Amino acid sequence: ARAERLRAALAARGIEAIALVGGPGAGKTALLEATFAALGPAAAAREAVVEGDCATDHDARRVAACGARAVQVATGALCHLDAHLVAHALERLDLRGVSRLWIENVGNLVCTAGFPCGEHRRVALLSVPEGDDKPEKYPALFASADLLVVSKADLIPHVAFGVARCVAAARGVRPGLPHPVVSARTGEGMDAWLAWL
């Protein structure tokens, strides 16, 4: 109910909220950095980010350096954000002129699946080094997603990762799930990602 209220309140202000979920090191913050760079400074200034981590403000500082408005939520022992935490974080953000809110959840493939945070769309990131079996092992996360981003695509030649196998498993729990294969480092797949946005 809290998530539904937050989603409606953001929509009423003309703000789309997108959640980013995925394991630690999946490339969520790197994708935001590449996205803001591609959009340019004027557009990045209209983006806001709630960063969730157990500790530190490293990721909030990274996205703020790209021109986005950012606030960090240090969850401590909690393994995920929820709508209550996000709503309180937004009290520390100036949302005037913001068109999109990113909710980057704590790196976790389990706990984040069951806690909506007020987002309108949810993006699941799975990095190539994590392995192509993760949609089979953690189906709830991928079943809750509107988009699967296979990240760190530049590493595909160096690890055993089958994109087709990964996508088939993800679509087994979420039929028709779109799946750009992206490298924030090289720019591969960024056009498909930006087109989805």
Side-chain angles (χ1 to χ4, degrees):
R2 284 177 191 259
E4 289 173 5
R5 289 195 298 270
L6 180 55
R7 186 181 303 114
L10 290 167
R13 297 187 65 161
I15 298 173
E16 181 191 23
I18 300 178
L20 295 179
V21 294
K28 297 181 294 296
T29 309
L31 181 63
L32 287 179
E33 290 174 316
T35 300
F36 299 155
L39 293 175
R46 300 183 66 221
E47 308 276 336
V49 185
V50 172
E51 287 284 355
D53 277 306
C54 293
T56 80
D57 65 349
H58 295 170
D59 291 348
R61 285 190 281 116
R62 284 173 61 184
V63 296
C66 299
R69 305 172 202 191
V71 62
Q72 186 79 42
V73 178
T75 61
L78 291 177
C79 56
H80 61 84
L81 293 174
D82 60 24
H84 178 76
L85 290 171
V86 171
H88 281 299
L90 293 179
E91 294 171 358
R92 297 184 279 141
L93 267 179
D94 179 4
L95 294 177
R96 288 174 296 182
V98 167
S99 60
R100 186 163 36 220
L101 170 69
W102 299 89
I103 304 167
E104 184 182 336
N105 217 315
V106 177
N108 190 309
L109 292 171
V110 180
C111 304
T112 57
F115 290 88
C117 293
E119 69 269 18
H120 301 102
R121 297 191 285 175
R122 179 178 277 201
V123 176
L125 272 78
L126 175 61
S127 70
V128 166
E130 292 176 89
D132 57 18
D133 61 346
K134 295 306 176 285
E136 293 174 285
K137 296 174 76 172
Y138 305 96
L141 182 85
F142 299 92
S144 72
D146 298 295
L147 182 79
L148 164 63
V149 172
V150 177
S151 61
K152 304 188 181 181
D154 51 298
L155 298 178
I156 287 175
H158 308 290
V159 296
F161 186 95
V163 173
R165 178 183 174 207
C166 173
V167 170
R171 286 184 163 181
V173 295
R174 182 72 177 216
L177 186 66
H179 59 278
V181 179
V182 174
S183 170
R185 185 174 176 220
T186 67
E188 177 185 348
M190 285 298 294
D191 287 346
W193 159 246
L194 294 170
W196 182 85
L197 284 183

